[in-house]
């Protein structure tokens, strides 16, 4: 067990001898893993140094075209050389060395890079969320009028439809979509602010010219692809920004946990199942089982995503004055992990929603089991219309319902309330109406109409900007 010398590369890291986060090694997409990679970070640093040099040159500082060109040439090389970040930029650019990072502090590259990664992370997530909403909207539309038992307190309640229940999921996802878009659009650039945010070093560089300092900030912000920068910062941008970004991801995690929990409950009832591959093994001990593994994965990771929100909340609360460095190590974990986890659960949920299986006959059997109890009010009203007395009818129904309930609960039998109603001469006037009185579609209210209106007014318009990105399909290895 030879001790690894400090700073020496451990070749065994690449053969399973060292811990690697499963968020990257096992689950996350390549684009999100790259977004928070060292390579993306260090190449962005170099781009930011180039932006700064170009803007300073344009505003009159003694920086030559050759110095800027040298930096750009080296930055282009970095795109093809993953190890190039180990060399200092100045060492690679001796001519430009004197003007690299001119007037800036480490947070110029550090914080601005983080903001770029947050923005690009949202740009990766938003189309994925749009695809989940699209798949689920198609599902809701297909099953808009398929009656199913509703549940309150996880006890059978009035009927709803499979599509209407999916719209409850969709409504939360639509809220998440708006929250992610708002958080993305609210992001600003830290820009060029100096050591404590006062821009003092840049004011000195430009010999007291305030307009040039403001123009420098604007130019660099524009080069980085942001419309605005924060007008005031300390050494860092406010860590409330991290709260804002991660809270909408945590909220989405709560949404997805609820959706996948519902799917797991319905799978237990054999009404709905997630996709199941031909070669997939449900259980090593019980080969007949079809475990909802994808939904379980989503729930597991969604809990992690929700829990991560505690980090930026606490970090923002303990930043002293203009800045303390106890934010750094925490943010290096919490920011990437939140986006990586959100990326994974969206990808998994898309796969689920693309292959949800519905079993209408099972749903119908469950309805038949409960509907006679739910239909008692309809039976009473029909008897009153046929000339019966409401109180007498109510008492008859009450007694027969309790007898039928005893069969179900104490004997484990089927609900025989209708058989008892048909056998009782009191109900002879309405026997011919029983089929229509017990048609499940007469118990779903306006559910189909609600689905149609919700999809057309709330969902489809939200997806318009992502039309060109809807064709991506997800296949998962479990």
């Amino acid at each position: 067990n030879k001790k690894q010398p400090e700073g020496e590369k451990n070749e065994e890291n690449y053969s399973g001898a060292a811990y690697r986060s499963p968020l990257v090694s096992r689950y996350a997409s390549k684009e999100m893993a790259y977004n928070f990679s060292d390579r993306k970070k260090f190449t962005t640093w170099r781009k930011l140094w180039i932006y700064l040099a170009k803007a300073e040159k344009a505003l009159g500082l003694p920086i030559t075209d050759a110095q800027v060109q040298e930096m750009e040439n080296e930055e282009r090389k970095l795109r093809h050389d993953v190890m190039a970040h180990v060399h200092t930029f100045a060492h690679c650019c001796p001519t430009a060395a004197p003007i690299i990072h001119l007037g800036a502090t480490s947070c110029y590259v550090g914080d601005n890079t983080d903001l770029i990664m947050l923005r690009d992370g949202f740009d990766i997530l938003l189309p994925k969320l749009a695809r989940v909403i699209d798949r689920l909207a198609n599902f809701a539309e297909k099953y808009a009028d398929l009656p199913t038992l509703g549940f309150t307190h996880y006890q059978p309640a009035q009927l709803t439809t499979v599509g209407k229940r999916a719209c409850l999921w969709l409504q939360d996802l639509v809220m998440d979509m708006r929250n992610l878009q708002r958080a993305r659009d609210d992001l600003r650039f830290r820009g060029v602010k100096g050591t404590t945010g006062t821009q003092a070093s840049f004011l000195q560089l430009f010999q007291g010219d305030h307009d040039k300092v403001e123009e420098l900030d604007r130019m660099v912000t524009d080069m980085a692809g942001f419309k605005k920068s924060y007008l005031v910062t300390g050494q860092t941008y406010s860590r409330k920004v991290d709260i804002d970004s991660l809270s909408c991801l945590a909220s989405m995690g709560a949404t997805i946990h609820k959706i996948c929990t519902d799917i797991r409950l319905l799978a237990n009832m054999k009404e709905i199942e997630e996709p199941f591959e031909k070669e997939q093994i449900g259980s090593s001990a019980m080969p007949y089982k079809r475990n909802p593994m994808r939904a379980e994965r989503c729930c597991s990771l969604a809990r992690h995503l929700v829990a991560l929100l505690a980090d930026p909340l606490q970090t923002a609360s303990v930043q002293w004055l203009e800045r303390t460095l106890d934010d750094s190590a925490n943010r290096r974990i919490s920011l990437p992990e939140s986006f990586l986890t959100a990326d994974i659960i969206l990808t998994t949920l898309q796969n689920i929603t693309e292959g949800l299986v519905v079993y209408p006959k099972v749903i119908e059997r469950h309805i038949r089991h409960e509907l006679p109890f739910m239909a008692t009010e309809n039976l009473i009203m029909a008897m009153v219309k046929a000339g019966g007395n409401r109180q007498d009818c109510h008492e008859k129904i009450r007694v027969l319902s309790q007898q039928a309930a005893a069969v179900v609960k104490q004997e484990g039998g089927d609900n025989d309330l209708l058989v008892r109603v048909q056998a009782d001469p009191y109900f002879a006037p309405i026997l011919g109406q029983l089929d229509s009185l017990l048609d499940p579609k007469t118990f779903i209210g306006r559910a189909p109409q609600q689905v149609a209106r919700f999809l057309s007014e709330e969902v489809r318009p939200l997806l318009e900007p992502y039309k060109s990105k809807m064709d991506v399909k997800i296949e998962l290895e479990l």
Side-chain angles (χ1 to χ4, degrees):
N1 293 326
K2 185 177 73 171
K3 184 178 179 182
Q4 182 76 22
E6 188 174 350
E8 183 175 316
K9 179 182 175 183
N10 185 353
E11 297 294 343
E12 290 185 339
N13 285 0
Y14 302 95
S15 60
Y19 175 78
R20 292 177 64 204
S21 169
L23 291 177
V24 174
S25 64
R26 201 171 161 166
Y27 299 124
S29 65
K30 289 181 180 178
E31 63 264 29
M32 190 62 83
Y34 173 74
N35 188 55
F36 290 97
S37 67
D38 282 349
R39 179 170 178 175
K40 167 81 176 270
K41 177 168 70 174
F42 291 125
T43 54
T44 303
W45 284 10
R46 285 152 178 75
K47 287 175 183 175
L48 288 167
W49 282 323
I50 292 170
Y51 298 157
L52 182 63
K54 280 184 170 181
E56 288 176 336
K57 176 181 180 296
L59 292 169
L61 291 187
I63 297 172
T64 66
D65 289 335
Q67 288 173 317
V68 172
Q69 187 64 51
E70 185 179 50
M71 294 167 72
E72 289 183 322
N73 290 342
E74 181 60 25
E75 191 273 328
R76 275 192 286 270
K77 288 181 188 176
L78 285 166
R79 296 180 187 175
H80 305 287
D81 183 5
V82 74
M83 294 305 294
H85 68 264
V86 302
H87 305 292
T88 66
F89 206 26
H91 179 73
C92 296
C93 308
T95 304
I99 56 91
I100 294 172
H101 203 64
L102 186 58
T105 183
S106 60
C107 284
Y108 167 69
V109 288
D111 267 35
N112 282 324
T113 294
D114 286 344
L115 289 162
I116 289 170
M117 287 178 167
L118 293 179
R119 179 197 64 191
D120 294 352
F122 279 124
D123 287 343
I124 293 170
L125 292 179
L126 282 163
K128 296 188 177 190
L129 178 53
R131 287 196 291 271
V132 169
I133 292 173
D134 173 72
R135 295 346 182 229
L136 203 50
N138 295 337
F139 177 86
E141 188 172 45
K142 181 177 180 180
Y143 296 104
D145 60 356
L146 178 62
T148 189
L149 280 177
F151 286 86
T152 59
H153 311 274
Y154 200 42
Q155 303 299 312
Q158 285 191 349
L159 300 191
T160 181
T161 69
V162 173
K164 170 64 189 297
R165 177 178 285 143
C167 284
L168 299 181
W169 302 338
L170 273 168
Q171 181 167 244
D172 290 351
L173 290 170
V174 165
M175 292 172 66
D176 293 321
M177 186 83 174
R178 290 177 179 140
N179 288 340
L180 262 67
Q181 188 65 62
R182 180 205 53 75
R184 190 256 184 242
D185 293 344
D186 281 353
L187 285 174
R188 297 187 185 188
F189 207 47
R190 177 190 176 274
V192 181
K193 297 296 192 296
T195 306
T196 58
T198 64
Q199 299 177 305
S201 58
F202 297 103
L203 190 63
Q204 186 176 1
L205 279 174
F206 288 104
Q207 300 179 342
D209 191 327
H210 290 267
D211 290 339
K212 284 191 174 181
V213 174
E214 289 205 1
E215 182 62 10
L216 176 71
D217 201 359
R218 189 202 64 76
M219 289 176 69
V220 172
T221 297
D222 185 64
M223 289 179 192
F226 284 81
K227 294 179 180 177
K228 293 181 178 180
S229 67
Y230 297 108
L231 295 180
V232 294
T233 72
Q235 187 172 89
T236 68
Y237 67 80
S238 170
R239 295 312 184 214
K240 288 276 285 185
V241 175
D242 295 344
I243 295 175
D244 199 30
S245 296
L246 269 57
S247 64
C248 65
L249 299 185
S251 179
M252 185 179 72
T255 295
I256 293 175
H257 197 295
K258 185 265 192 292
I259 293 170
C260 290
T261 299
D262 284 355
I263 291 171
R264 292 163 66 191
L265 292 170
L266 294 168
N268 173 261
M269 298 166 63
K270 297 181 173 58
E271 291 192 356
I272 288 179
E273 285 183 344
E274 65 179 38
F276 198 86
E277 309 301 333
K278 288 182 179 179
E279 304 300 321
Q280 183 177 328
I281 297 173
S283 167
S284 59
M286 295 164 280
Y288 60 87
K289 290 186 73 181
R290 296 181 62 150
N291 297 332
M293 295 168 64
R294 293 167 174 84
E296 289 174 316
R297 176 187 293 179
C298 282
C299 288
S300 182
L301 290 171
R303 289 200 304 275
H304 180 58
L305 180 54
V306 171
L308 283 168
L309 180 56
D311 280 336
L313 287 168
Q314 295 187 55
T315 295
S317 71
V318 299
Q319 286 299 285
W320 300 350
L321 306 175
E322 278 65 50
R323 190 266 172 102
T324 50
L325 194 58
D326 57 351
D327 63 341
S328 180
N330 186 292
R331 296 175 68 253
R332 199 171 285 126
I333 298 168
S334 60
L335 296 185
E337 285 206 356
S338 291
F339 278 84
L340 288 163
T341 306
D343 176 76
I344 297 160
I345 60 177
L346 281 175
T347 299
T348 308
L349 186 58
Q350 181 184 335
N351 176 260
I352 292 172
T353 54
E354 285 177 345
L356 273 178
V357 181
V358 176
Y359 295 106
K361 292 298 182 183
V362 177
I363 294 172
E364 183 182 335
R365 185 174 75 243
H366 290 157
I367 290 174
R368 282 202 311 269
H369 191 70
E370 300 290 343
L371 190 59
F373 291 140
M374 299 177 190
T376 54
E377 184 63 23
N378 288 20
L379 298 177
I380 292 171
M381 295 305 296
M383 279 297 299
V384 171
K385 287 181 181 178
N389 177 281
R390 190 186 189 286
Q391 281 67 36
D392 292 342
C393 185
H394 185 279
E395 180 60 19
K396 285 275 189 183
I397 290 289
R398 185 187 68 80
V399 172
L400 296 180
S401 295
Q402 288 184 351
Q403 293 170 351
V407 171
V408 172
K409 295 178 180 179
Q410 297 174 21
E411 301 176 20
D414 292 333
N415 187 335
D416 64 356
L417 176 59
L418 289 184
V419 175
R420 294 174 185 275
V421 168
Q422 290 169 330
D424 192 323
Y426 177 82
F427 293 100
I430 63 167
L431 290 183
Q433 304 176 46
L434 285 183
D435 285 345
S436 60
L437 290 173
L438 291 163
D439 180 0
K441 292 201 173 183
T442 64
F443 289 82
I444 59 175
R446 299 191 63 254
Q449 291 75 20
Q450 289 177 347
V451 170
R453 184 178 178 188
F454 176 65
L455 295 181
S456 65
E457 293 185 18
E458 300 277 348
V459 179
R460 299 300 185 193
L462 194 68
L463 302 179
E464 279 295 319
Y466 302 96
K467 266 190 171 180
S468 63
K469 300 181 180 179
M470 284 296 169
D471 292 338
V472 179
K473 291 203 174 231
I474 300 296
E475 293 183 6
L476 293 180
E477 291 184 12
L478 295 177

